[in-house]
C-alpha cells in the first residue's frame, strides 16, 4: 500500500526523481508524473495498464505555463482558459515539440488543464515541469474520488498519494477542442455545457465514434464497474423484479430493495451533489453482495448529461 499524506515537499521530491504520485483535483484523483520525461510517463501507462493510443491530460499551474507547451493559443481558447481555469475544463491545443509524443499518443494536440485544488496547485507552482495525469484507476475502471480508492487499486504502484480529501466535483473534466476554429466538446464532464455556451455559442458535442482510437475516454465501454448494470428511469427500474439487485438512484430509493443495498445520489435532487457521489456509489455497489446494479438515469440537463454519459458507458 502507498504512503498517504499532505506533504507537498515529499510529493515534489518524488516527482523530481521521475516517480509516480497520485494527486487530488476537484474532479477525480490523477496519477501524475513529469509530463516532459518520457520514461516517467511510460510508468503511468504501465501502472494503469493503459493502451498507448490513449493520450494523457497535462496539468499546468496556469495560462503562463500552458503557453510554454503550445504552438498557439487562439483567442477563443484563451477566453475559456481565462474564465474557467483553474477548473474542470481540458482544452486541446497544438503542442510544441517538447511535449513527448507518448503523452499525446502521437497527436499534434495536447490536452491542458489547470486543476482547481489548493494542494495540487501549490505543487504545480513549485515544480519546474507540468504533470501528465490520467485518472488514478486501472484502465477502463471507475475513476477514484478519494485517496482510499487510489490505494485500493494502485497502492502498490504509486510512491505517494497526496491526500486532498474527497473530490468536490466527482466526475472528470469536460474536454473541448477546436476544428477550423470551431469549438467541439469531446467529453461531457464537470463543467456543464450551459456554463460554456455563453462564451462559445451553441456547442457541437462529438462523443462516441467507437472507431476513434485517439480518444478512448470516448469508448462506449469505459468507467465501468465489474458488475452488470441495468439502466432506466425510476419507474422502469421499480418494475424490475431482481431480488438480489442493488441500486444507484437519483433522489428516491426503489421499492422492494433493502436500503443498505441502495445508494441515493442526492435526496434533494441536486445534480452537482449527485455527480460528486456517483463514482464512490458505483464502487460501493461493485463491492456489495449483489448480483447486478440497477442505475437510474438523471435529468438530461447541467451535470446530468455527464452523469448519464458515465452511467451509459458503465452499463455498456
Ligand atoms: O478531470 C480529469 O480530466 C482527470 C483529472 C485527473 O484531471 N483526468 C482524466 O484523465 O480524466 P483520463 O486520462 O482518465 O482521461 C483523459 C482523456 C483521454 O481518455 C482522451 O480521451 C482525452 O482525455 N484526451 C487527452 N488528450 C487528448 C488529445 N490530445 N486529443 C483528444 N483527446 C485527448
Ligand atoms: Mg480515466
Amino acid at each position: 500500500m502507498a504512503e498517504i499524506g499532505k506533504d507537498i515537499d515529499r510529493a515534489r521530491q518524488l516527482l523530481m526523481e521521475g516517480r509516480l504520485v497520485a494527486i487530488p483535483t476537484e474532479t477525480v484523483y490523477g496519477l501524475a508524473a513529469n509530463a516532459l520525461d518520457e520514461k516517467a510517463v511510460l510508468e503511468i501507462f504501465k501502472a494503469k495498464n493503459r493502451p498507448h493510443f490513449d493520450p494523457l491530460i497535462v496539468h499546468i499551474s496556469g495560462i503562463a505555463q500552458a503557453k510554454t507547451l503550445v504552438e498557439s493559443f487562439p483567442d477563443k481558447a484563451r477566453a475559456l482558459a481565462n474564465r474557467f481555469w483553474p477548473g474542470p475544463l481540458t482544452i486541446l491545443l497544438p503542442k510544441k515539440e517538447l511535449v513527448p509524443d507518448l503523452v499525446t499518443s502521437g497527436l499534434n494536440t495536447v490536452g491542458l488543464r489547470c486543476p482547481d485544488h489548493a494542494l495540487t496547485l501549490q505543487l504545480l507552482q513549485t515544480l519546474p515541469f507540468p504533470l501528465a495525469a490520467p485518472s488514478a484507476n486501472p484502465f477502463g475502471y471507475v475513476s477514484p474520488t478519494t485517496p482510499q480508492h487510489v490505494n485500493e487499486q494502485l497502492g502498490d504502484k504509486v510512491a505517494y498519494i497526496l491526500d486532498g480529501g474527497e473530490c468536490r466535483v466527482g466526475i472528470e473534466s469536460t474536454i473541448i477542442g477546436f476544428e477550423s476554429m470551431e469549438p467541439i466538446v469531446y467529453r461531457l464532464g464537470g463543467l456543464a455545457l450551459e456554463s460554456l455556451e455563453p462564451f462559445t455559442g451553441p456547442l457541437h458535442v462529438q462523443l462516441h465514434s467507437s472507431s476513434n482510437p485517439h480518444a478512448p475516454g470516448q469508448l462506449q465501454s469505459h468507467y465501468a464497474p465489474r458488475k452488470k448494470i441495468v439502466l432506466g428511469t425510476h419507474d422502469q427500474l421499480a418494475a424490475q423484479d431482481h431480488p438480489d439487485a442493488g441500486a444507484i438512484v437519483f433522489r428516491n430509493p426503489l421499492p422492494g430493495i433493502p436500503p443498505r443495498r441502495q445508494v441515493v445520489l442526492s435526496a434533494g435532487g441536486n445534480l452537482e451533489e449527485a455527480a460528486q457521489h456517483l463514482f464512490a456509489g458505483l464502487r460501493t455497489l461493485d463491492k456489495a453482495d449483489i448480483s447486478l446494479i440497477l442505475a437510474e438515469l438523471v435529468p438530461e440537463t447541467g451535470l446530468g448529461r455527464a452523469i448519464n454519459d458515465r452511467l451509459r458507458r458503465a452499463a455498456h
Side-chain angles (χ1 to χ4, degrees):
M1 293 289 104
E3 189 188 337
I4 304 181
K6 296 179 194 294
D7 188 347
I8 292 181
D9 291 334
R10 174 125 178 81
R12 176 178 192 275
Q13 191 56 42
L14 289 162
L15 288 163
M16 299 279 286
E17 289 167 13
R19 308 280 299 279
L20 300 184
V21 171
I23 55 166
T25 82
E26 79 281 31
T27 59
V28 301
Y29 273 75
L31 182 64
N34 178 353
L36 306 183
D37 175 353
E38 199 153 331
K39 252 176 75 185
V41 171
L42 195 58
E43 294 303 316
I44 296 179
F45 283 92
K46 277 198 223 155
K48 279 190 62 120
N49 203 5
R50 181 178 176 113
H52 286 203
F53 58 71
D54 190 1
L56 306 180
I57 291 173
V58 174
H59 297 70
I60 36 94
S61 56
I63 293 180
Q65 189 177 31
K67 281 192 204 155
T68 67
L69 304 172
V70 299
E71 286 291 342
S72 65
F73 209 139
D75 288 344
K76 282 185 179 178
R78 196 175 300 230
L80 291 176
N82 269 322
R83 173 64 186 81
F84 294 109
W85 282 356
L89 181 69
T90 294
I91 307 179
L92 305 180
L93 292 168
K95 84 173 188 79
K96 275 196 176 139
E97 209 162 314
L98 96 151
V99 179
D101 286 333
L102 183 61
V103 170
T104 63
S105 303
L107 297 174
N108 55 17
T109 56
V110 58
L112 296 180
R113 171 166 122 75
C114 176
D116 188 11
H117 192 291
L119 272 187
T120 291
L121 272 179
Q122 221 179 312
L123 175 66
L124 284 167
Q125 280 155 7
T126 64
L127 281 169
F129 47 74
L131 292 174
S135 52
N137 51 276
F139 181 69
Y141 196 71
V142 180
S143 295
T145 54
T146 68
Q148 289 69 34
H149 293 165
V150 180
N151 208 17
E152 279 168 22
Q153 292 188 305
L154 298 179
D156 55 344
K157 304 203 166 122
V158 296
Y160 191 66
I161 301 174
L162 190 58
D163 182 356
E166 185 191 345
C167 299
R168 178 173 54 79
V169 175
I171 43 178
E172 303 84 351
S173 60
T174 300
I175 299 180
I176 194 166
F178 299 86
E179 232 157 76
S180 5
M181 300 308 279
E182 286 313 305
I184 298 180
V185 168
Y186 293 100
R187 179 171 74 181
L188 297 167
L191 186 65
L193 295 182
E194 288 88 341
S195 306
L196 276 165
E197 284 184 328
F199 295 85
T200 57
L203 276 168
H204 182 63
V205 180
Q206 187 182 308
L207 294 185
H208 33 135
S209 45
S210 49
S211 61
N212 182 354
H214 293 315
Q218 301 186 317
L219 286 182
Q220 285 188 356
S221 172
H222 213 73
Y223 312 105
R226 291 178 204 91
K227 288 212 167 80
K228 182 174 148 64
I229 298 191
V230 173
L231 294 179
T233 62
H234 199 273
D235 285 351
Q236 286 168 341
L237 297 177
Q240 299 252 351
D241 183 26
H242 290 295
D244 51 359
I248 187 162
V249 294
F250 182 35
R251 310 182 62 151
N252 301 305
L254 294 173
I257 297 179
R260 66 188 157 76
R261 283 200 250 131
Q262 302 205 48
V263 173
V264 177
L265 290 175
S266 171
N270 178 304
L271 288 166
E272 278 80 27
E273 187 186 17
Q276 192 190 11
H277 297 152
L278 178 68
F279 288 156
L282 286 173
R283 278 173 186 261
T284 301
L285 292 174
D286 210 20
K287 282 191 276 189
D289 187 21
I290 55 177
S291 63
L292 92 165
I293 301 169
L294 304 176
E296 182 187 352
L297 292 165
V298 302
E300 189 75 21
T301 172
L303 292 195
R305 285 195 194 86
I307 294 173
N308 287 340
D309 171 81
R310 298 305 186 273
L311 287 175
R312 289 194 182 99
R313 289 172 206 268
H316 198 80

